[in-house]
């Protein structure tokens, strides 16, 4: 079962189907119990028996930890020990399974009694499948730990596009937010207007051939002329490095319409210092006023983004909200209103595997 369906269908962030693991454990141990009296007493077979029992015990130890690990543990991260304990238990199981699989490899199939050979090969296949599931679980748990800032501060660049002004990748690239996450909490949010960057920026990028006749130079705000988010991010990183812009671990490219949808979950937001309440219905109207009219009652769109981002994490502590956010995120990804690109190649492979 995919990680997407597991997260959506339950409030347990077990990242592997517990029922499948439990069933595989039960079936494998039943086969092992039937095989035990049929197997020779040589050293290789004794090692296999021992490793089977150790793997069985490791998986039994892991399952209660997965069952008790709730979604809020990953969001609020008040009890980091739960994630640490789970990672430790999963790594212990991985170690035992590697020894077990090696034990299977060390036994020539010709030494397996004929009556037991089919069951022996079936048992070997089942534990190989279990190893694959456990490896995927470890990779996902490590990715969540990194994204949550469990091991060290994780910095996100959020490139915010106004898709009321359409561009090939989504919309006008008007705002950037730097968000530092540590210990599962947002530590700080810095929202930067693109003109703050372009104002100190000396254009030296040649426009792409299809735009050469229209623009003689390209600014940072123009770099999403490509519809490929990875190409855009490469271009953006190169120019931000020129400006000594802070480095970041993961980039999220998001259209303003996503924030409009987020308000459906968060509810109406009163804007600090303004006699105004932002709603899903007036979001784009207010955004247009903020951007286009210097005399409008709201002249700074950065405070809206900052407040919305800051309110997401507290809202996630509610499991129902968490599931709604995950469903929303998957929907926005499918509609290309949201892209996630991380510098860790292993994490990026996982995101691709689950179609993110």
């Amino acid at each position: 079962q995919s990680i997407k369906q597991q997260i959506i269908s339950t409030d347990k962030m077990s990242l592997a189907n517990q029922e499948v693991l439990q069933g595989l454990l039960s079936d494998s141990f039943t086969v092992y119990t039937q095989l035990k009296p049929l197997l020779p007493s040589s050293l290789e077979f004794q090692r296999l028996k021992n490793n089977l029992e150790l793997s069985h015990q490791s998986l039994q130890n892991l399952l209660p930890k997965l069952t008790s690990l709730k979604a809020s543990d990953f969001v609020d991260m008040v009890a980091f020990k739960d994630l640490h304990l789970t990672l430790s238990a999963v790594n212990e199981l991985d170690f035992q399974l590697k020894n077990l699989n090696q034990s299977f490899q060390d036994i020539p199939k010709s030494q397996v009694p004929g009556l037991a050979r089919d069951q022996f090969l079936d048992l070997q296949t089942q534990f190989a499948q279990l190893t694959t599931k456990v490896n995927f679980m470890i990779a996902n748990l490590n990715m969540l730990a990194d994204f949550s800032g469990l091991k060290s501060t994780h910095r996100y660049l959020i490139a915010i596009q106004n898709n009321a002004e359409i561009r090939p990748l989504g919309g006008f690239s008007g705002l950037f937010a730097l968000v530092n996450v540590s210990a599962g909490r947002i530590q700080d949010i810095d929202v930067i207007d693109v003109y703050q960057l372009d104002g100190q920026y000396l254009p030296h990028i040649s426009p792409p051939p299809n735009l050469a006749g229209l623009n003689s130079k390209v600014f940072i705000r123009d770099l999403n002329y490509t519809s490929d988010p990875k190409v855009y991010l490469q271009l953006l990183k190169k120019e931000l490095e020129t400006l000594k812009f802070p480095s970041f671990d993961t980039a999220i490219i998001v259209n303003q319409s996503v924030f409009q949808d987020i308000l459906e979950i968060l509810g109406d937001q009163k804007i600090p210092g303004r006699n105004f309440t932002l709603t899903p219905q007036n979001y784009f109207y207010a955004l247009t006023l903020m951007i286009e009219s210097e005399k409008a009652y709201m002249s700074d769109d950065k405070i809206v983004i900052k407040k919305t981002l800051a309110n997401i994490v507290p809202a996630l502590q509610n499991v129902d909200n968490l599931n709604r956010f995950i469903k929303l995120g998957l929907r926005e990804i499918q509609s290309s209103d949201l892209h996630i690109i991380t510098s860790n190649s292993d994490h990026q492979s996982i995101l691709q595997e689950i179609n993110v």
Side-chain angles (χ1 to χ4, degrees), residues 158-164 169-171 252-267 278-280 283-284 287 304-305 308-309 312 324-340:
I158 305 179
I160 302 164
Q161 305 180 126
N162 179 12
N163 49 320
L169 189 56
I252 300 175
I253 306 167
V254 58
N255 282 333
Q256 288 278 13
S257 56
V258 175
F259 288 94
Q260 183 182 27
D261 293 337
I262 287 173
L263 289 178
E264 296 281 0
I265 300 174
L266 295 182
L278 197 65
T279 70
Y283 185 86
F284 269 97
L287 187 69
V304 173
I305 299 300
T308 304
L309 288 173
I312 288 175
R324 292 176 68 189
F325 270 113
I326 291 171
K327 291 177 181 179
L328 170 64
L330 293 172
R331 188 172 72 243
E332 305 291 4
I333 288 166
Q334 293 299 316
S335 65
S336 296
D337 286 308
L338 177 67
H339 306 276
I340 303 174

Coordinates of all heavy atoms in Angstrom, one line a residue, residues 158-164 169-171 252-267 278-280 283-284 287 304-305 308-309 312 324-340:
I158 N 10.1 29.0 -0.3 CA 8.8 28.9 -0.9 C 8.7 30.0 -2.0 O 8.7 31.2 -1.7 CB 7.7 29.1 0.1 CG1 7.9 28.0 1.2 CG2 6.3 28.9 -0.5 CD1 6.8 28.1 2.3
A159 N 8.6 29.6 -3.2 CA 8.5 30.5 -4.4 C 7.0 30.7 -4.7 O 6.4 29.7 -5.1 CB 9.2 30.0 -5.6
I160 N 6.5 31.8 -4.4 CA 5.0 32.1 -4.5 C 4.7 32.8 -5.8 O 5.2 33.9 -6.0 CB 4.6 32.9 -3.2 CG1 4.9 32.1 -2.0 CG2 3.0 33.1 -3.3 CD1 4.9 33.0 -0.7
Q161 N 3.8 32.2 -6.5 CA 3.5 32.7 -7.9 C 2.0 33.1 -7.9 O 1.1 32.4 -7.4 CB 3.6 31.6 -8.9 CG 5.0 31.0 -9.0 CD 5.2 29.9 -10.1 OE1 6.0 30.0 -10.9 NE2 4.3 28.9 -10.0
N162 N 1.8 34.3 -8.4 CA 0.4 34.8 -8.5 C -0.2 34.3 -9.9 O 0.0 34.9 -10.9 CB 0.4 36.3 -8.5 CG -1.0 36.9 -8.6 OD1 -2.0 36.2 -8.6 ND2 -1.1 38.2 -8.8
N163 N -1.0 33.3 -9.8 CA -1.5 32.7 -11.0 C -2.7 33.5 -11.6 O -3.4 33.0 -12.5 CB -1.8 31.2 -10.9 CG -2.6 30.9 -9.7 OD1 -2.4 31.4 -8.6 ND2 -3.6 29.9 -9.8
A164 N -3.0 34.7 -11.0 CA -3.9 35.6 -11.6 C -3.2 36.3 -12.8 O -3.9 36.8 -13.7 CB -4.4 36.6 -10.6
L169 N 5.0 28.4 -15.8 CA 5.1 27.5 -14.7 C 3.9 27.7 -13.7 O 3.6 26.9 -12.9 CB 6.4 27.7 -13.9 CG 6.7 26.7 -12.8 CD1 6.7 25.3 -13.3 CD2 8.0 27.1 -12.2
G170 N 3.1 28.7 -13.9 CA 2.0 28.9 -13.0 C 1.5 30.4 -13.0 O 0.4 30.7 -13.4
G171 N 2.3 31.3 -12.4 CA 1.9 32.7 -12.3 C 3.1 33.6 -12.1 O 4.3 33.1 -12.0
I252 N 9.7 24.8 -2.4 CA 8.3 24.6 -2.7 C 7.8 25.7 -3.6 O 7.9 26.9 -3.3 CB 7.5 24.6 -1.4 CG1 8.0 23.4 -0.5 CG2 6.0 24.4 -1.7 CD1 7.3 23.4 0.9
I253 N 7.4 25.3 -4.8 CA 6.9 26.3 -5.8 C 5.4 26.2 -5.8 O 4.8 25.2 -6.0 CB 7.5 26.0 -7.2 CG1 9.0 25.9 -7.2 CG2 7.0 27.1 -8.2 CD1 9.6 25.3 -8.5
V254 N 4.8 27.3 -5.4 CA 3.3 27.3 -5.1 C 2.6 28.5 -5.7 O 3.1 29.6 -5.7 CB 3.1 27.2 -3.6 CG1 3.7 28.4 -2.9 CG2 1.7 27.1 -3.2
N255 N 1.4 28.2 -6.3 CA 0.6 29.3 -6.8 C -0.3 29.9 -5.7 O -0.6 29.2 -4.7 CB -0.3 28.7 -7.9 CG 0.4 28.6 -9.2 OD1 1.4 29.3 -9.5 ND2 -0.1 27.6 -10.1
Q256 N -0.6 31.1 -5.9 CA -1.4 31.8 -4.8 C -2.8 31.1 -4.6 O -3.3 31.2 -3.5 CB -1.7 33.3 -5.3 CG -0.4 34.2 -5.2 CD -0.2 34.7 -3.8 OE1 -0.8 34.2 -2.8 NE2 0.7 35.7 -3.6
S257 N -3.3 30.4 -5.6 CA -4.6 29.8 -5.5 C -4.5 28.7 -4.4 O -5.5 28.3 -3.8 CB -5.0 29.1 -6.8 OG -4.0 28.2 -7.3
V258 N -3.3 28.2 -4.1 CA -3.1 27.2 -3.0 C -3.4 27.8 -1.7 O -4.1 27.2 -0.8 CB -1.7 26.6 -3.0 CG1 -1.5 25.6 -1.8 CG2 -1.5 25.8 -4.3
F259 N -3.0 29.1 -1.5 CA -3.3 29.8 -0.2 C -4.8 30.1 -0.1 O -5.3 30.0 1.0 CB -2.5 31.1 -0.2 CG -1.0 30.9 0.1 CD1 -0.1 30.8 -1.0 CD2 -0.5 30.7 1.3 CE1 1.2 30.6 -0.8 CE2 0.9 30.5 1.6 CZ 1.7 30.5 0.5
Q260 N -5.4 30.3 -1.2 CA -6.9 30.5 -1.2 C -7.5 29.2 -0.7 O -8.4 29.2 0.1 CB -7.3 30.8 -2.6 CG -8.8 31.1 -2.7 CD -9.3 31.4 -4.1 OE1 -8.6 30.9 -5.1 NE2 -10.3 32.1 -4.3
D261 N -7.0 28.0 -1.2 CA -7.6 26.8 -0.7 C -7.2 26.5 0.7 O -8.0 25.8 1.4 CB -7.1 25.6 -1.6 CG -7.6 25.7 -3.1 OD1 -8.6 26.4 -3.3 OD2 -6.9 25.2 -4.0
I262 N -6.1 26.9 1.2 CA -5.7 26.7 2.6 C -6.6 27.4 3.5 O -6.9 26.9 4.6 CB -4.2 27.2 2.8 CG1 -3.2 26.2 2.1 CG2 -3.9 27.3 4.3 CD1 -1.8 26.6 2.2
L263 N -7.1 28.6 3.1 CA -8.1 29.3 3.9 C -9.4 28.5 4.1 O -10.0 28.7 5.1 CB -8.4 30.7 3.3 CG -7.3 31.7 3.3 CD1 -7.7 33.0 2.6 CD2 -6.8 32.0 4.8
E264 N -9.7 27.6 3.2 CA -10.9 26.8 3.4 C -10.7 25.9 4.7 O -11.7 25.5 5.3 CB -11.1 25.9 2.2 CG -11.4 26.7 0.9 CD -12.9 27.1 0.9 OE1 -13.6 26.8 1.8 OE2 -13.3 27.7 -0.1
I265 N -9.4 25.6 5.0 CA -9.1 24.7 6.1 C -8.9 25.6 7.4 O -9.5 25.3 8.4 CB -7.9 23.8 5.9 CG1 -8.1 22.9 4.7 CG2 -7.6 23.0 7.1 CD1 -6.9 22.1 4.2
L266 N -8.1 26.7 7.2 CA -7.8 27.5 8.4 C -9.0 28.3 8.8 O -9.1 28.7 10.0 CB -6.6 28.4 8.0 CG -5.3 27.8 7.7 CD1 -4.2 28.9 7.4 CD2 -4.8 26.9 8.9
G267 N -9.8 28.7 7.9 CA -10.9 29.6 8.2 C -10.5 31.0 7.9 O -9.4 31.3 7.5
L278 N -9.5 38.3 5.7 CA -9.3 37.6 4.5 C -10.1 36.3 4.5 O -10.1 35.5 5.4 CB -7.8 37.3 4.3 CG -7.2 36.9 2.9 CD1 -7.4 38.1 2.0 CD2 -5.8 36.5 3.0
T279 N -10.8 36.1 3.4 CA -11.6 34.8 3.2 C -11.3 34.2 1.9 O -10.7 34.8 1.0 CB -13.1 35.2 3.2 OG1 -13.4 35.9 2.0 CG2 -13.5 36.1 4.4
P280 N -11.6 32.9 1.7 CA -11.4 32.3 0.4 C -12.1 33.0 -0.7 O -11.6 33.1 -1.8 CB -12.0 30.9 0.6 CG -12.0 30.6 2.1 CD -12.2 32.0 2.7
Y283 N -10.1 36.4 -1.5 CA -8.6 36.3 -1.5 C -8.0 37.0 -2.7 O -7.1 37.9 -2.6 CB -8.1 34.9 -1.4 CG -6.6 34.7 -1.3 CD1 -6.0 34.8 -0.1 CD2 -5.8 34.5 -2.4 CE1 -4.6 34.7 0.0 CE2 -4.5 34.4 -2.3 CZ -3.9 34.5 -1.1 OH -2.5 34.4 -1.0
F284 N -8.4 36.6 -3.9 CA -7.7 37.1 -5.1 C -8.1 38.6 -5.4 O -7.3 39.4 -5.9 CB -8.1 36.3 -6.4 CG -7.1 35.2 -6.6 CD1 -7.4 33.9 -6.2 CD2 -5.9 35.4 -7.3 CE1 -6.5 32.9 -6.4 CE2 -5.0 34.4 -7.5 CZ -5.3 33.1 -7.0
L287 N -5.8 40.3 -3.0 CA -4.4 40.2 -3.5 C -4.2 41.2 -4.7 O -3.1 41.9 -4.7 CB -4.2 38.8 -4.0 CG -2.8 38.4 -4.5 CD1 -1.9 38.4 -3.2 CD2 -2.8 37.1 -5.1
V304 N 0.1 38.9 4.7 CA -0.9 37.9 4.5 C -0.3 36.5 4.4 O -0.7 35.5 5.0 CB -1.8 38.1 3.2 CG1 -2.7 37.0 2.9 CG2 -2.6 39.4 3.4
I305 N 0.8 36.4 3.5 CA 1.5 35.1 3.4 C 2.1 34.7 4.7 O 2.0 33.5 5.1 CB 2.6 35.3 2.3 CG1 1.9 35.7 0.9 CG2 3.3 34.0 2.1 CD1 0.9 34.7 0.4
T308 N -0.5 33.4 7.1 CA -1.1 32.2 6.6 C -0.1 31.0 6.9 O -0.5 30.0 7.4 CB -1.4 32.2 5.1 OG1 -2.3 33.3 4.9 CG2 -2.1 30.9 4.7
L309 N 1.2 31.2 6.6 CA 2.2 30.2 6.8 C 2.3 29.9 8.3 O 2.4 28.7 8.7 CB 3.5 30.6 6.3 CG 3.7 30.6 4.7 CD1 5.0 31.3 4.3 CD2 3.6 29.2 4.2
I312 N -0.4 27.6 9.7 CA -0.6 26.2 9.2 C -0.2 25.2 10.2 O -0.9 24.2 10.5 CB 0.2 26.0 7.9 CG1 -0.5 26.8 6.7 CG2 0.3 24.6 7.5 CD1 0.3 26.8 5.4
R324 N -6.8 16.7 5.8 CA -7.3 17.6 4.8 C -6.2 18.3 4.0 O -6.2 18.5 2.8 CB -8.2 18.7 5.4 CG -9.6 18.1 5.9 CD -10.4 19.2 6.6 NE -10.9 20.2 5.7 CZ -11.4 21.3 6.1 NH1 -11.6 21.6 7.4 NH2 -11.9 22.2 5.2
F325 N -5.1 18.7 4.8 CA -3.9 19.3 4.2 C -3.3 18.4 3.2 O -2.8 18.8 2.1 CB -3.0 19.8 5.3 CG -3.2 21.2 5.7 CD1 -3.6 21.5 7.0 CD2 -3.0 22.3 4.9 CE1 -3.8 22.8 7.5 CE2 -3.2 23.6 5.3 CZ -3.6 23.8 6.6
I326 N -3.1 17.1 3.6 CA -2.5 16.1 2.8 C -3.3 15.9 1.5 O -2.7 15.9 0.4 CB -2.3 14.8 3.5 CG1 -1.2 15.0 4.6 CG2 -1.8 13.7 2.6 CD1 -1.1 13.8 5.6
K327 N -4.6 15.8 1.6 CA -5.4 15.6 0.4 C -5.3 16.9 -0.5 O -5.2 16.7 -1.7 CB -6.9 15.4 0.8 CG -7.1 14.0 1.5 CD -8.6 13.9 1.9 CE -8.8 12.6 2.6 NZ -10.2 12.4 3.1
L328 N -5.3 18.0 0.2 CA -5.2 19.3 -0.6 C -3.9 19.3 -1.3 O -3.8 19.6 -2.5 CB -5.3 20.5 0.4 CG -5.0 21.9 -0.2 CD1 -5.9 22.2 -1.3 CD2 -4.9 22.9 0.9
G329 N -2.8 19.0 -0.6 CA -1.4 19.0 -1.2 C -1.4 18.1 -2.4 O -0.8 18.4 -3.4
L330 N -1.9 16.9 -2.3 CA -1.8 15.9 -3.4 C -2.6 16.4 -4.6 O -2.3 16.3 -5.7 CB -2.4 14.5 -2.9 CG -1.5 13.8 -1.9 CD1 -2.2 12.6 -1.4 CD2 -0.1 13.4 -2.5
R331 N -3.8 17.0 -4.3 CA -4.6 17.6 -5.3 C -3.9 18.7 -6.0 O -3.9 18.8 -7.3 CB -5.9 18.1 -4.8 CG -6.9 18.5 -5.8 CD -8.3 18.8 -5.3 NE -8.4 20.0 -4.5 CZ -8.6 20.1 -3.2 NH1 -8.9 18.9 -2.5 NH2 -8.7 21.2 -2.6
E332 N -3.2 19.6 -5.3 CA -2.5 20.8 -5.9 C -1.3 20.3 -6.7 O -1.0 20.9 -7.7 CB -2.1 21.7 -4.8 CG -3.1 22.2 -3.8 CD -4.1 23.2 -4.5 OE1 -4.0 23.4 -5.7 OE2 -5.0 23.7 -3.8
I333 N -0.7 19.2 -6.2 CA 0.4 18.6 -7.0 C 0.0 18.1 -8.3 O 0.6 18.3 -9.4 CB 1.2 17.6 -6.1 CG1 1.9 18.2 -5.0 CG2 2.1 16.7 -7.0 CD1 2.4 17.2 -3.9
Q334 N -1.2 17.4 -8.3 CA -1.7 16.8 -9.5 C -2.1 17.9 -10.5 O -2.0 17.7 -11.7 CB -2.9 15.9 -9.2 CG -2.6 14.7 -8.4 CD -1.6 13.8 -9.1 OE1 -1.8 13.5 -10.3 NE2 -0.6 13.2 -8.4
S335 N -2.5 19.0 -10.0 CA -3.0 20.1 -10.9 C -1.8 21.1 -11.2 O -2.0 22.1 -11.9 CB -4.1 21.0 -10.2 OG -3.6 21.6 -9.0
S336 N -0.6 20.7 -10.8 CA 0.7 21.5 -11.0 C 0.6 22.9 -10.4 O 1.3 23.8 -10.9 CB 0.9 21.6 -12.5 OG 1.2 20.3 -13.1
D337 N -0.2 23.0 -9.3 CA -0.2 24.3 -8.6 C 0.8 24.2 -7.4 O 1.0 25.3 -6.7 CB -1.6 24.6 -8.0 CG -2.5 25.1 -9.1 OD1 -2.2 26.0 -9.8 OD2 -3.6 24.5 -9.2
L338 N 1.5 23.1 -7.2 CA 2.4 22.9 -6.1 C 3.5 21.9 -6.6 O 3.2 20.9 -7.2 CB 1.7 22.4 -4.9 CG 2.6 22.0 -3.7 CD1 3.1 23.3 -3.1 CD2 1.7 21.3 -2.6
H339 N 4.8 22.3 -6.4 CA 5.9 21.5 -6.8 C 6.8 21.4 -5.6 O 7.1 22.5 -4.9 CB 6.7 22.0 -8.0 CG 5.8 22.2 -9.2 ND1 5.5 21.2 -10.1 CD2 5.2 23.4 -9.6 CE1 4.8 21.7 -11.0 NE2 4.5 23.0 -10.8
I340 N 7.4 20.3 -5.2 CA 8.3 20.1 -4.1 C 9.6 19.5 -4.7 O 9.6 18.4 -5.3 CB 7.8 19.2 -3.0 CG1 6.4 19.7 -2.5 CG2 8.8 19.1 -1.9 CD1 5.8 18.8 -1.5

